[in-house]
Amino acid sequence: MKGIAKAVLVTIITSIIIVLLTNMSFFFPWYLTLVSETYYISQEVASENYLKRSSYKDIKDALEDRPIFNKRRNDIKILVAKDEGFYNSAIPDMDRDDYSDLSDYEKPYRQRGKPVYVKVEAVYPLTVTLWGKEYSKDIPMSFQIVTTGLKHYKDLEYYTE
């Protein structure tokens, strides 16, 4: 009897591990998508020293339409900031042609050579169905890149440090 009980227990544990590994095989492509999107955003941010609102909406919409990301659309966050703590956003509320009438603090961009911080946050929905009952756990993940602005703005002072 002990042998049968052990065999059933091993079978149950093995099936749970196989289901978890199968589900985790989807995690790695999902995370690589998160990394590649962050890299793409950082390249766009580096060219202008900030992320335009129209580009932000396009990138967010494209990311929300991707597989697995579309299950947690509201949990996707794209953060671009002028400081490490993400307090001063480098995404303007509205796109404008000219920001020169704003103070340096209100401008979404910084001068060439200054760091700009890019971070994408999303939630991976780990879901396992065992014997007709669904178990799920949300795994919040993020990826961050620091990029350097390449564009020189004449309306900002240029410091050589």
Side-chain angles (χ1 to χ4, degrees), residues 44-80:
E44 192 161 328
V45 166
S47 66
E48 295 289 328
N49 303 5
Y50 72 102
L51 183 64
K52 295 180 181 178
R53 176 56 71 175
S54 58
S55 296
Y56 168 80
K57 288 180 182 177
D58 292 342
I59 293 167
K60 187 157 172 71
D61 289 343
L63 198 56
E64 287 175 347
D65 290 337
R66 290 190 175 253
I68 303 177
F69 285 96
N70 60 10
K71 293 180 182 176
R72 298 284 191 266
R73 291 175 185 260
N74 297 333
D75 295 326
I76 299 172
K77 294 182 182 123
I78 299 171
L79 306 169
V80 180

Side-chain angles (χ1 to χ4, degrees), residues 41-50 147-153:
I41 294 167
S42 74
Q43 295 304 302
E44 192 161 328
V45 166
S47 66
E48 295 289 328
N49 303 5
Y50 72 102
T147 189
T148 302
L150 301 174
K151 189 170 184 179
H152 175 73
Y153 287 97

Side-chain angles (χ1 to χ4, degrees), residues 1 19 42-43 45 91 111 125-126 136-137 145:
M1 230 26 203
V19 169
S42 74
Q43 295 304 302
V45 166
I91 304 172
Q111 190 57 279
L126 179 65
S136 64
K137 175 142 175 81
I145 293 179

Side-chain angles (χ1 to χ4, degrees), residues 91-160:
I91 304 172
D93 293 332
M94 286 179 33
D95 284 338
R96 297 171 61 176
D97 292 333
D98 186 23
Y99 292 98
S100 61
D101 60 331
L102 298 175
S103 69
D104 288 353
Y105 180 77
E106 295 173 321
K107 292 176 185 173
Y109 49 82
R110 297 179 76 188
Q111 190 57 279
R112 174 177 60 196
K114 300 291 183 183
V116 182
Y117 301 88
V118 179
K119 184 177 190 180
V120 177
E121 298 176 347
V123 173
Y124 182 76
L126 179 65
T127 305
V128 177
T129 304
L130 295 172
W131 301 288
K133 188 172 180 183
E134 188 173 284
Y135 300 94
S136 64
K137 175 142 175 81
D138 293 340
I139 303 172
M141 298 297 293
S142 65
F143 191 77
Q144 178 177 340
I145 293 179
V146 180
T147 189
T148 302
L150 301 174
K151 189 170 184 179
H152 175 73
Y153 287 97
K154 293 181 180 178
D155 60 338
L156 291 175
E157 286 194 40
Y158 186 70
Y159 297 107
T160 54

